[in-house]
Amino acid sequence: MHDVIIIGGGAAGFYAAIQIAESAPDLKVVILEKGKEVLSKVKVSGGGRCNVTHAEFDPNELINSYPRGSKELLGPFHKHGTGDTVAFFEERGIQLKIEEDGRMFPITDSSQTVIDFFQSETERLGVKVLKHSAVTNILPLDLKNDEKAWEITTIKGTYTSKKILVATGSNPKIWKLLENLGHTLEPAVPSLFTFNIKDERISGIPGVSTYAKVELLKRTFNPKITIKLSSEVPDEALLVSEGPLLITHWGMSGPAILRLSAWGARILNEYGYRFRIRVNWLPDYHKGAVLPLLLEIKDMEAKKTVLRTKAVDIPRRLWTNLVRASGLNGDTKWADASKKQLQLLAEQLTECAFLVEGKSTFKEEFVTAGGVDLKEINFKTFESKVLPNLYFAGEVINVDAITGGFNFQNAWTGAFIAAQGIISK
């Protein structure tokens, strides 16, 4: 009989194991990992540098980076937030640094630093780590004197434990077992992804990055209709995101796109990842404000070509493509540009519509929306409300975040509070 079995050898599982073993060294703790390696997601995080957390220390601000779970995480972040995470690692010799965008990494710039620490620390504390131990069944047991326990069956054997912590992320087999136990699980859909777009306006300029506002538009799209009707109602945005946008070989990426993919995860899944976006390359302006600016430049720079006279603060290669998309060729001088052409250019700069046809995973950092229904979890302990002595941490619950270390912070916080719940009960 074990005291605690942790299912899942990832970030949340190891963090919880260390917390339990340090606070209650007499408890027998085991980690069951289905694969041949542990901490695989830690290894690839942040391009192999491990984006440990984000330098946002105010829980009220921190929750704004979670499309799902923000309300539920406010209390937990007050108990164990970013500052507590930083202290945990630095007190144990893992020094962290803050980058300009707020992401925090080990000063070694290597995820192996974190992996080696977790493995050596669990070994020092006597936590058993059993690899190649995929769980095939989880059953509650009734013991003598009305005591409860758990029976966990793996491909290698069967184990019993007083308490279990599930920290398996979006493992569909584990999710099915949790459903069999009576839990409700929100279906998993991708959360962080880039947009696949084939369009001349962004063709041939991969690597161009600029600050932009991106809006998700309603699904209705007819590529055959190119003339705007006078009675047409302007598209209203379903979601809006603002930030750096990166043009890639396959379409668009960058924080503005990734945020939109996170907040729109379920909508975009329903759309089959074929949808429309509208980009304002000058987020401080709207079309009506840009046109007078272009008309003014027309008078001031009359003899210069539109293509070579960049009128606004966007990358030159992007300006060139947008000018051409407005029907202005390379030889057109500002004096010869018609008002209609400049109206089209103002529209390209502020209301640039694109058809997205598919998605691509953001680097190796595959994040999903979905998991155990948040109403079925006690967020003071991260214990199941459905079955006693069953705890959760990490992405197995219906919580996910934008990129930047926020998903790991959810894992650390949930693991800490679950560990405290396990120890105190």
Side-chain angles (χ1 to χ4, degrees):
M1 172 74 75
H2 296 91
D3 293 295
V4 185
I5 287 181
I6 297 170
I7 304 173
F14 270 80
Y15 199 81
I18 291 169
Q19 300 286 353
I20 295 167
E22 281 189 336
S23 299
D26 55 320
L27 296 184
K28 293 180 182 178
V29 183
V30 174
I31 296 175
L32 299 178
E33 167 56 42
K34 69 172 183 177
K36 64 179 181 179
E37 298 293 340
V38 294
L39 301 160
S40 56
K41 203 162 188 178
V42 170
K43 190 173 184 64
V44 300
S45 163
R49 296 193 296 146
C50 188
N51 187 181
V52 173
T53 187
H54 198 94
E56 177 51 74
F57 299 91
D58 180 354
N60 295 290
E61 292 297 325
L62 185 58
I63 60 170
N64 293 328
S65 296
Y66 295 82
R68 282 148 292 273
S70 58
K71 181 179 71 173
E72 290 81 2
L73 288 176
L74 182 58
F77 282 154
H78 276 287
K79 286 185 181 177
H80 193 81
T82 305
D84 301 293
T85 297
V86 173
F88 170 85
F89 284 104
E90 295 197 338
E91 286 168 5
R92 291 160 179 80
I94 308 295
Q95 296 298 310
L96 304 178
K97 62 176 180 176
I98 303 173
E99 301 205 335
E100 284 186 12
D101 59 4
R103 292 182 301 164
M104 298 190 71
F105 295 89
I107 58 170
T108 59
D109 274 331
S110 173
S111 57
Q112 198 60 46
T113 301
V114 178
I115 292 169
D116 291 344
F117 159 70
F118 275 138
Q119 290 183 312
S120 63
E121 197 71 352
T122 48
E123 185 176 348
R124 180 183 72 82
L125 294 166
V127 175
K128 286 185 180 178
V129 180
L130 304 179
K131 302 174 186 177
H132 297 288
S133 297
V135 172
T136 57
N137 205 10
I138 303 171
L139 287 174
L141 295 177
D142 290 317
L143 304 178
K144 295 177 182 178
N145 302 322
D146 293 326
E147 288 188 16
K148 306 286 185 181
W150 292 93
E151 182 180 87
I152 294 113
T153 304
T154 73
I155 57 173
K156 283 189 170 181
T158 300
Y159 307 87
T160 55
S161 179
K162 294 175 184 176
K163 298 168 186 175
I164 58 173
L165 169 61
V166 180
T168 52
S170 54
N171 181 323
K173 292 181 180 177
I174 298 297
W175 285 24
K176 185 63 180 174
L177 295 179
L178 293 174
E179 282 184 325
N180 293 341
L181 290 170
H183 267 288
T184 306
L185 278 96
E186 294 292 325
V189 297
S191 178
L192 285 180
F193 49 86
T194 61
F195 295 173
N196 297 347
I197 302 170
K198 291 181 180 178
D199 194 291
E200 286 298 318
R201 292 168 294 178
I202 59 170
S203 177
I205 56 171
V208 166
S209 179
T210 188
Y211 196 89
K213 180 171 79 173
V214 187
E215 298 172 310
L216 170 65
L217 303 178
K218 291 180 181 178
R219 188 176 187 180
T220 308
F221 182 83
N222 188 342
K224 294 181 181 179
I225 299 176
T226 56
I227 300 172
K228 281 197 171 184
L229 304 176
S230 59
S231 60
E232 185 180 357
V233 178
D235 283 313
E236 289 186 13
L238 297 175
L239 292 168
V240 181
S241 174
E242 198 170 306
L245 185 154
L246 173 67
I247 295 170
T248 67
H249 288 285
W250 61 88
M252 294 181 186
S253 184
I257 297 297
L258 294 170
R259 287 194 193 105
L260 202 65
S261 77
W263 260 271
R266 296 217 170 271
I267 298 172
L268 301 183
N269 180 257
E270 290 172 11
Y271 284 1
Y273 304 103
R274 190 175 190 272
F275 54 93
R276 297 178 301 145
I277 60 171
R278 181 168 55 211
V279 179
N280 184 343
W281 303 106
L282 304 169
D284 291 335
Y285 298 89
H286 54 79
K287 184 172 71 172
V290 172
L291 181 58
L293 171 66
L294 297 179
L295 290 171
E296 187 178 330
I297 293 171
K298 174 182 167 74
D299 292 334
M300 294 174 58
E301 307 286 1
K303 294 182 179 180
K304 295 182 179 179
T305 63
V306 179
L307 203 64
R308 293 187 179 180
T309 310
K310 187 162 67 78
V312 293
D313 187 20
I314 62 172
R316 178 163 293 280
R317 290 193 292 164
L318 177 61
W319 166 261
T320 299
N321 280 10
L322 296 180
V323 167
R324 286 175 174 152
S326 306
L328 296 157
N329 61 42
D331 298 327
T332 305
K333 293 180 180 178
W334 279 99
D336 300 326
S338 68
K339 185 175 181 181
K340 184 178 180 181
Q341 286 175 320
L342 294 181
Q343 283 177 327
L344 285 171
L345 179 55
E347 185 174 309
Q348 292 292 343
L349 289 166
T350 59
E351 299 177 2
C352 201
F354 294 92
L355 174 63
V356 179
E357 298 187 272
K359 62 176 176 58
S360 296
T361 301
F362 177 61
K363 299 182 179 178
E364 302 91 349
E365 298 178 30
F366 186 70
V367 174
T368 58
V372 177
D373 191 322
L374 303 183
K375 293 182 182 129
E376 299 175 357
I377 300 167
N378 176 357
F379 280 90
K380 291 181 179 178
T381 59
F382 277 69
E383 184 178 12
S384 164
K385 290 181 180 178
V386 176
L387 289 162
N389 299 321
L390 168 61
Y391 296 79
F392 302 104
E395 283 185 55
V396 70
I397 66 176
N398 188 24
V399 169
D400 61 282
I402 60 174
T403 186
F406 299 103
N407 282 295
F408 271 145
Q409 186 55 53
N410 167 51
W412 312 135
T413 296
F416 174 84
I417 295 175
Q420 297 305 305
I422 288 168
I423 294 163
S424 62
K425 189 174 178 181

